[in-house]
Amino acid sequence: MTPLELAEKYMDCVFNTGDLETLRKILSDDLKFSGPFFKFNSAEDYVNSLRNDPPDGFEYEIKKRYADNSSTCLCYQFSKPGVSTSMAQIFETSNGKISSILLIFDSAVFRPD
């Protein structure tokens, strides 16, 4: 799969199907995930976090896609009940798998008033 196809498969698994087994197959064992709230240094830890707290009721609408030979950036509008914000994810790939994910968004919208 191309980096863009891997990123789109990731989004489908996380937001649409909840298929964590397929998600795990497209992630490198030593996946590095970094976001405003969480950081993980392995695919197993990242997938377990999704298993323990699934993103239920979350939606997204892709606004832009950028890709090159080894990476993809998806810019999208994220929403869940009571929250809507722009997000971007940068996916680095290696050996046909996602090796790094950087999630960027303004975390203030998730804080209670």
Side-chain angles (χ1 to χ4, degrees):
M1 278 191 256
T2 67
L4 180 57
E5 290 169 333
L6 286 167
E8 289 174 338
K9 176 59 88 175
Y10 166 93
M11 296 296 281
D12 185 53
C13 289
V14 171
F15 287 100
N16 298 330
T17 68
D19 185 351
L20 299 180
E21 299 308 316
T22 297
L23 176 65
R24 179 62 187 89
K25 290 176 185 174
I26 65 169
L27 302 176
S28 295
D29 291 342
D30 59 349
L31 171 78
K32 304 292 184 234
F33 176 92
S34 181
F37 296 128
F38 299 102
K39 293 187 183 352
F40 299 99
N41 291 310
S42 76
E44 200 61 36
D45 288 347
Y46 178 64
V47 171
N48 282 337
S49 77
L50 292 173
R51 190 172 283 119
N52 293 331
D53 189 15
D56 191 34
F58 296 5
E59 297 179 5
Y60 71 97
E61 179 184 349
I62 298 289
K63 299 296 184 179
K64 293 285 183 182
R65 296 171 175 86
Y66 304 95
D68 61 25
N69 291 334
S70 64
S71 64
T72 295
C73 178
L74 299 180
C75 301
Y76 56 95
Q77 189 67 28
F78 168 89
S79 60
K80 71 175 196 172
V83 174
S84 181
T85 191
S86 297
M87 293 188 172
Q89 280 190 270
I90 300 170
F91 300 86
E92 298 289 338
T93 63
S94 179
N95 299 317
K97 294 188 176 194
I98 297 170
S99 58
S100 173
I101 302 169
L102 175 60
L103 173 61
I104 304 164
F105 63 89
D106 179 5
S107 62
V109 299
F110 291 90
R111 294 188 188 124
D113 292 331

